[in-house]
Amino acid sequence: MPMSASGRFITSGLWAYSRHPNYFGEITMWVGICISSSGCFHGFEWLAWLSPLTTWVLLLKVSGVPALEAKGQQTWGEDPAYNWYLEHTPCIIPATKRPPAFQATDYVAIVA
């Protein structure tokens, strides 16, 4: 999760619609490059489509999201606002409308 200068997780701007909008942009860029180049592809050049696929796998399953989400849990895992953000904000593909803001009254602590 990206941090603001105050050390809090970011919930404004693009991060209000997606937890990882930069990764969405990266994947979209590679898909766009492949689409715009496809008219010139011949033979093995079609393997260029492995680039967006590889980027997607690496960012979503290997190094990007898993590492950042683990760091976020370690840093803010006890914060109800952070857990609300995780539950209501899409991971990669941005929401078409902003998820609801966290309200302390929406959080019910479970006491064992």
Side-chain angles (χ1 to χ4, degrees), residues 1-79:
M1 286 294 124
M3 279 195 290
S4 67
S6 66
R8 299 279 307 149
F9 57 95
I10 298 173
T11 59
S12 61
L14 292 175
W15 280 267
Y17 298 90
S18 169
R19 295 195 313 263
H20 304 283
N22 50 329
Y23 292 162
F24 177 73
E26 178 82 11
I27 294 165
T28 303
M29 178 191 70
W30 286 113
V31 169
I33 289 171
C34 281
I35 288 172
S36 65
S37 303
S38 291
C40 303
F41 288 171
H42 299 284
F44 286 110
E45 293 171 352
W46 286 98
L47 291 175
W49 278 99
L50 292 175
S51 178
L53 178 65
T54 302
T55 301
W56 179 81
V57 169
L58 288 174
L59 291 178
L60 267 67
K61 303 294 182 189
V62 180
S63 63
V65 171
L68 283 176
E69 301 259 325
K71 177 67 174 165
Q73 279 297 330
Q74 183 181 36
T75 306
W76 303 294
E78 299 297 318
D79 185 349

